[in-house]
Amino acid sequence: MKKWTIGVDVGGTEVKFGLFDDKLQEKWSIPTNIQDKGAHILPEIAESVVERCRASGIHKEDLAGIGIGLPGPVLGGNIVKGCVNLGWAEIPVADELSRLLEAAFEQKEGNSSASVGMGTVIPVQAANDANVAALGEMWLGGGKNCTSLVMVTLGTGVGGGIVTDGHILDGVGGCAGEIGHIICVEEEDIVGSCNCGNRGCLEQIASATGIVNYSRHYLDKSDIPSILRDILKEKESFSAKDVLDAAKSGDGAAEQIVDKITMYLGRVLAGICLVVNPECILIGGGVSAAGEYLRARVEQKFREQAFPGIKDTAVRLAVLGNEAGIAGAAYMIQGKDSSL
Ligand SMILES: [Zn+2]
């Protein structure tokens, strides 16, 4: 029986791996080698997988397959349309990694497995990392027992992933779920331009960077006393966490800032839920470390702006943190198996 699945999550500095049966059994990581336009990344992933399998006594025939999450748009589970962080242009990642794994296993295990024939090709499935994280949360995290969910990731940027009927929604150009670039911010609250070139994207106000930029903009316009001004005087800067901590402690200005940010988040999520009508909304990413305080406010703003039929959509926190990627990557293979 093909018992094992490996989930791989490729980031700009680190490649994470997880060995799964029905749960995570082992995890490890290697540095992302971005030299030579990222040409070594896939060979080093294949090498690391084969090394770990050998160390754990797992043969090629025991592997159900490998899922891989990547920081860029992915089409048809295979073709990456450029990953700026990795130096990649267009690459058929799944085909390429499958071929490299064959070669690496053949070298390590000798000709015995190669002689088994074509039936032993290791299936590889690729997808965008934010979408994969949403799938991971559905399998083992905050979206457990759901088959559809919308996940918004509030980190340096704002990412997102949509799962419907247990499957990732990629879209024809791999752009489905790019929640951070939905334009929603009103002119008076916009600071500068978004990295995508547009103005007024959700990311500009709800990412860690966006929260800081908007907070400074708000403090410039207002006379309300705030701890944030004291932090600014002392350290010349403050973080998104400082803003959320100040709001939690009852700082009036920070509370108004969080009120505005969660209003935009709630508005965007209400719009998405009217299209997808998922079982739950998950909030993840570094900013979600603000926990129940943030969740409750997003839920309230969501309900205030949601169409009656979707008001009861559950709003939860993501729980897997940076393991969501490896879990979702593994589930791309496992989920396929269980639906057959
Ligand atoms: Zn944008």
Side-chain angles (χ1 to χ4, degrees):
M1 191 186 138
K2 290 182 192 295
K3 184 183 173 190
W4 300 103
T5 310
I6 293 176
V8 185
D9 183 15
V10 184
T13 54
E14 192 185 38
V15 182
K16 298 187 199 70
F17 298 81
L19 177 66
F20 290 83
D21 45 18
D22 58 351
K23 57 179 186 293
L24 178 62
Q25 295 294 353
E26 275 183 55
K27 60 174 183 170
W28 70 99
S29 65
I30 60 172
T32 307
N33 182 351
I34 54 168
Q35 287 178 1
D36 304 322
K37 294 187 176 168
H40 308 289
I41 295 173
L42 290 177
E44 288 178 8
I45 288 172
E47 189 68 22
S48 183
V49 164
V50 173
E51 277 296 334
R52 182 57 62 128
C53 284
R54 198 166 68 146
S56 303
I58 295 169
H59 295 286
K60 181 177 147 190
E61 289 75 16
D62 304 326
L63 274 181
I66 289 172
I68 180 167
L70 296 152
V74 180
L75 303 184
N78 183 25
I79 296 168
V80 168
K81 300 289 279 184
C83 289
V84 183
N85 293 345
L86 308 181
W88 287 359
E90 186 170 316
I91 299 179
V93 170
D95 291 348
E96 186 69 13
L97 184 56
S98 190
R99 186 184 64 73
L100 289 162
L101 285 163
E102 290 299 305
F105 267 112
E106 198 169 319
Q107 208 177 17
K108 290 278 182 331
E109 292 190 350
N111 288 332
S112 59
S113 63
S115 65
V116 178
M118 286 176 64
T120 63
V121 171
I122 300 166
V124 177
Q125 179 89 19
N128 168 266
D129 54 4
N131 293 348
V132 162
L135 194 64
E137 288 286 345
M138 185 199 79
W139 183 32
L140 297 173
K144 218 169 174 177
N145 303 321
C146 292
T147 57
S148 63
L149 62 84
V150 169
M151 179 162 154
V152 59
T153 307
L154 309 174
T156 315
V158 172
I162 295 171
V163 178
T164 55
D165 295 330
H167 296 283
I168 288 170
L169 188 68
D170 290 312
V172 70
C175 293
E178 284 288 357
I179 293 169
H181 299 285
I182 292 177
I183 291 177
C184 62
V185 184
E186 284 162 24
E187 193 58 41
E188 61 185 20
D189 297 326
I190 298 176
V191 184
S193 296
C194 184
N195 289 331
C196 74
N198 287 338
R199 293 182 80 246
C201 294
L202 179 65
E203 179 164 302
Q204 281 188 272
I205 199 160
S207 64
T209 320
I211 291 171
V212 171
N213 290 343
Y214 173 71
S215 300
R216 296 187 79 137
H217 173 70
Y218 176 92
L219 292 172
D220 284 347
K221 286 192 313 179
S222 124
D223 294 329
I224 305 175
S226 173
I227 302 170
L228 296 171
R229 286 202 181 84
D230 302 335
I231 300 176
L232 208 51
K233 253 183 224 155
E234 200 184 315
K235 299 197 295 189
E236 293 184 358
S237 66
F238 53 76
S239 65
K241 183 177 183 301
D242 290 332
V243 176
L244 284 150
D245 285 348
K248 278 186 196 175
S249 71
D251 184 276
E255 280 182 322
Q256 289 204 18
I257 290 167
V258 171
D259 197 67
K260 192 53 101 48
I261 292 162
T262 50
M263 185 277 286
Y264 285 122
L265 260 170
R267 181 178 292 180
V268 166
L269 291 169
I272 295 167
C273 285
L274 210 44
V275 178
V276 180
N277 199 0
E279 287 173 80
C280 76
I281 295 164
L282 291 180
I283 308 166
V287 174
S288 73
E292 176 58 22
Y293 177 85
L294 179 70
R295 190 210 66 78
R297 271 147 195 82
V298 174
E299 181 181 71
Q300 186 197 340
K301 297 294 179 187
F302 168 78
R303 295 214 167 132
E304 284 172 12
Q305 299 172 90
F307 179 73
I310 58 165
K311 273 188 197 295
D312 292 336
T313 309
V315 178
R316 299 182 194 151
L317 292 168
V319 298
L320 296 181
N322 63 15
E323 284 180 9
I326 52 175
Y331 190 75
M332 286 196 286
I333 302 292
Q334 297 227 356
K336 223 180 217 177
D337 266 12
S338 60
S339 65
L340 286 173

